[in-house]
Amino acid sequence: MKNHWMPPLVGEIADGKVTWLRLDSIDYESLGYFLSCHLIIEHYLDHFIATYMPTKFDWEGAKLTFGQKASLISTLEFPEPYNLPPTIKYLNSLRNKFSHDVTFILTEQELLPIRQFVEKCTEKKLGAQFNIHDLLNTYTGIVCAYFASSISHSARFQIGK
């Protein structure tokens, strides 16, 4: 992977001096992949909400945040093991950590709730060491497939309206 240069962060300011913090440890590949998964899930979430509601609301005009969208679906009943709202909210909390701390590192421990959800849905235990990208890929696939199924089902009843 190519190293990318970023300006250093301002660290401590004391005694008339500034300590500069280099950003050499940012994993841009994982960060980009994580954010892409978040965006794709939001795309499906938008369409799920729009097709779930019988009235055509101006969802784009409302400019709801991801967290607000996740809260909208949190009162719906999802069949086990596909209880999506808690993990979608958790995914968003990780995204918020990235957006407020450029040095945040996505670890296996940080992804534990996502891992547990995937293991429950697939009925497969992931090994002690697992690939974070594979986990995010499987999680995103499960969430989007669930939403896609609901969107497709709703579309059948909207023909001719």
Side-chain angles (χ1 to χ4, degrees):
M1 183 174 94
K2 180 182 174 187
N3 285 341
H4 298 278
W5 179 86
M6 294 294 286
L9 298 178
V10 176
E12 183 179 350
I13 300 174
D15 300 323
K17 295 181 182 178
V18 178
T19 303
W20 299 99
L21 305 174
R22 295 184 52 87
L23 298 174
D24 296 334
S25 63
I26 296 176
D27 181 356
Y28 294 100
E29 186 177 338
S30 292
L31 173 60
Y33 193 76
F34 176 85
L35 293 174
S36 294
C37 291
H38 187 277
L39 285 168
I40 290 165
I41 288 172
E42 184 170 21
H43 169 83
Y44 277 82
L45 180 58
D46 287 345
H47 288 281
F48 174 79
I49 291 169
T51 58
Y52 193 85
M53 301 303 295
T55 306
K56 297 286 183 195
F57 291 111
D58 181 11
W59 293 109
E60 279 193 38
K63 298 190 186 306
L64 299 175
T65 66
F66 188 96
Q68 291 168 326
K69 295 170 192 177
S71 290
L72 278 176
I73 67 164
S74 66
T75 59
L76 301 176
E77 290 190 33
F78 290 85
E80 284 300 328
Y82 305 105
N83 187 14
L84 301 179
T87 60
I88 289 174
K89 287 179 179 181
Y90 185 75
L91 181 80
N92 196 50
S93 74
L94 291 177
R95 203 254 346 140
N96 289 340
K97 287 181 182 182
F98 271 124
S99 68
H100 296 286
D101 180 4
V102 73
T103 63
F104 177 72
I105 297 172
L106 194 60
T107 65
E108 291 178 13
Q109 186 61 34
E110 291 284 350
L111 288 169
L112 187 58
I114 304 291
R115 175 187 178 154
Q116 291 168 337
F117 175 82
V118 166
E119 288 178 339
K120 187 169 59 168
C121 290
T122 62
E123 298 180 352
K124 293 180 186 173
K125 284 285 187 196
L126 299 175
Q129 295 289 343
F130 60 90
N131 182 294
I132 289 175
H133 291 210
D134 290 344
L135 175 66
L136 288 171
N137 183 57
T138 303
Y139 172 73
T140 302
I142 291 169
V143 172
C144 293
Y146 185 93
F147 284 149
S149 172
S150 180
I151 292 164
S152 295
H153 179 76
S154 294
R156 285 190 204 142
F157 296 104
Q158 294 179 2
I159 295 173
K161 286 188 178 182

